[in-house]
C-alpha cells in the first residue's frame, strides 16, 4: 500500500481519526522554519525515530491541512532521494505539490521523468486538476486529449474537471463534455449535477435548474446539503424565497 493512498485515506477519515493523526515529525518541521525539511527529517532520524508509512501519511496529511505545500514537496523529495518505494498515487501526490509550488511547466517535466509504468491515469488526472485553479483552458484540453490518446478510461472525475473549468470560462463547451460522457457511458456524479445546476442558476433558468434536479433523482441521486444550499441561493436570487424554504422541510 503506497503512502499516497494512506494520505488519501487519512484525509477522508480526518474527522474520525483527528486525535490519532498527531504527527511528531510534522511538529518538528513546524518548530524549525529556518531549517530545510531535509535537515529536520535527518535530525529526527538521528534522534532514534523511524520514518514509517504511518508517519509519512500523517506528516503529509498535516502539511496539506496547513497548506504547507512547499514543505510537503521537500518531504516528498527527501523520501524519493532516500529510496522510499513510490507507487502511482505517490507520484501523483508529487505532481500535485509541484504544480502548486512551481507551476504546470515544471510539473510536466517531472511527469516525463516518472517511470513509464507509473505514468497512469491518476498522474494525468492530477495534472488536469491543477489546470483548473489557474483557468488554463488550452492546457487542460491538451492534457484531457492526451489522456484519451493514451487509452486511459474517461472518468466522471476528469469530465467534472472540464465542467468546472468551462463553467468559469466557456459555458458553450459544457454541452460537448456532456455529449462525450453520454457517448462513453460515463455516469454523472453529484458533483456533475452540482455544476450543471449552478450554470442554470447563474443564468436565472430556474426551470432548467429544476429539470436537472429531476434528472439527477431519476439517476438515483438525491440532493445533498451542498446542492440544496446551491438551489436555495439561486431561488433566493430569483425572488423565490418560498421555494428556498421548502428545500429544508
Amino acid at each position: 500500500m503506497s503512502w499516497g493512498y494512506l494520505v488519501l485515506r487519512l484525509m477522508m477519515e480526518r474527522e474520525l481519526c483527528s486525535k490519532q493523526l498527531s504527527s511528531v515529525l510534522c511538529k518538528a518541521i513546524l518548530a524549525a522554519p529556518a531549517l530545510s525539511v531535509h535537515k529536520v527529517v535527518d535530525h529526527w532520524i538521528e534522534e532514534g525515530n523511524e520514518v514509517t508509512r504511518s508517519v509519512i501519511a500523517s506528516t503529509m496529511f498535516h502539511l496539506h491541512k496547513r497548506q504547507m505545500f512547499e514543505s510537503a514537496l521537500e518531504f516528498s523529495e527527501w523520501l524519493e532521494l532516500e529510496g522510499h518505494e513510490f507507487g502511482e498515487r505517490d507520484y501523483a501526490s508529487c505532481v500535485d505539490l509541484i504544480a502548486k509550488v512551481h507551476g504546470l511547466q515544471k510539473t510536466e517535466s517531472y511527469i516525463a521523468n516518472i517511470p513509464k509504468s507509473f505514468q497512469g491515469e491518476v498522474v494525468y488526472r492530477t495534472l488536469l486538476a491543477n489546470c483548473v485553479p489557474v483557468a488554463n483552458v488550452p492546457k487542460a484540453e491538451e492534457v484531457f486529449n492526451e489522456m484519451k490518446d493514451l487509452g486511459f478510461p474517461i472518468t466522471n472525475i476528469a469530465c467534472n474537471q472540464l465542467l468546472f473549468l468551462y463553467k468559469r470560462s466557456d459555458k458553450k463547451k459544457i454541452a460537448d463534455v456532456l455529449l462525450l460522457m453520454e457517448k462513453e457511458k460515463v455516469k454523472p456524479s453529484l458533483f456533475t449535477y452540482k455544476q450543471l445546476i449552478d450554470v442554470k442558476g447563474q443564468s436565472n433558468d430556474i426551470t432548467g435548474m429544476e429539470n436537472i434536479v429531476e434528472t439527477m433523482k431519476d439517476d438515483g441521486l438525491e440532493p445533498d446539503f451542498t446542492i440544496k444550499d446551491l438551489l436555495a441561493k439561486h431561488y433566493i436570487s430569483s425572488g423565490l424565497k418560498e421555494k428556498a424554504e421548502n428545500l429544508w422541510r
Side-chain angles (χ1 to χ4, degrees):
M1 184 182 295
S2 71
W3 56 261
Y5 177 73
L6 286 171
V7 172
L8 180 63
R9 284 189 58 185
L10 289 175
M11 293 183 76
M12 291 174 65
E13 299 170 2
R14 60 187 180 276
E15 295 299 328
L16 293 175
C17 305
S18 57
K19 292 182 180 178
Q20 290 83 359
L21 288 176
S22 177
S23 171
V24 177
L25 177 54
C26 184
K27 290 177 181 177
I29 293 170
L30 292 171
L35 295 178
S36 70
V37 172
H38 291 213
K39 288 184 178 180
V40 173
V41 179
D42 287 338
H43 179 67
W44 194 73
I45 292 172
E46 288 170 3
E47 291 180 333
N49 297 297
E50 186 179 356
V51 180
T52 63
R53 289 186 180 276
S54 60
V55 167
I56 294 170
S58 62
T59 301
M60 283 294 190
F61 171 83
H62 284 287
L63 292 175
H64 274 83
K65 187 177 180 181
R66 290 171 172 80
Q67 297 190 355
M68 296 175 63
F69 302 124
E70 191 166 348
S71 294
L73 178 57
E74 284 188 51
F75 186 42
S76 294
E77 290 169 345
W78 182 91
L79 292 169
E80 203 163 359
L81 287 170
E82 292 296 315
H84 283 256
E85 184 178 349
F86 271 39
E88 185 180 351
R89 289 190 179 276
D90 305 318
Y91 285 114
S93 178
C94 291
V95 165
D96 183 56
L97 291 169
I98 293 169
K100 285 178 168 59
V101 176
H102 297 301
L104 297 175
Q105 188 172 351
K106 286 196 174 181
T107 306
E108 290 184 290
S109 297
Y110 176 80
I111 291 174
N113 291 311
I114 293 175
K116 288 290 184 182
S117 58
F118 294 114
Q119 291 183 21
E121 188 266 342
V122 176
V123 165
Y124 280 89
R125 186 209 307 164
T126 304
L127 175 61
L128 174 63
N130 278 282
C131 295
V132 176
V134 295
N136 193 331
V137 174
K139 179 56 65 177
E141 292 174 340
E142 179 187 320
V143 173
F144 187 81
N145 288 328
E146 187 174 1
M147 291 171 70
K148 290 196 294 182
D149 292 341
L150 289 169
F152 297 144
I154 296 174
T155 65
N156 61 23
I157 297 175
C159 291
N160 285 342
Q161 295 292 342
L162 288 184
L163 288 174
F164 187 68
L165 180 60
Y166 290 151
K167 184 183 76 171
R168 298 166 56 192
S169 61
D170 191 350
K171 292 182 175 63
K172 292 179 181 178
K173 291 185 176 182
I174 288 176
D176 295 333
V177 179
L178 297 178
L179 286 172
L180 176 65
M181 292 177 71
E182 184 178 3
K183 178 184 175 183
E184 299 294 333
K185 295 181 172 54
V186 177
K187 190 173 181 179
S189 65
L190 277 175
F191 186 86
T192 310
Y193 284 114
K194 183 178 179 180
Q195 304 316 305
L196 301 179
I197 288 167
D198 198 26
V199 169
K200 292 295 184 182
Q202 287 176 7
S203 60
N204 294 317
D205 183 359
I206 299 302
T207 300
M209 184 177 77
E210 292 175 336
N211 287 340
I212 290 172
V213 174
E214 290 306 311
T215 301
M216 180 181 70
K217 290 179 178 179
D218 289 342
D219 279 349
L221 298 172
E222 289 296 323
D224 63 4
F225 176 84
T226 61
I227 289 180
K228 286 184 178 181
D229 190 55
L230 183 62
L231 289 167
K233 183 186 78 171
H234 289 308
Y235 278 139
I236 291 170
S237 66
S238 297
L240 300 170
K241 185 178 178 182
E242 186 175 347
K243 282 198 170 188
E245 292 173 347
N246 287 337
L247 288 168
W248 306 107
R249 290 176 181 170

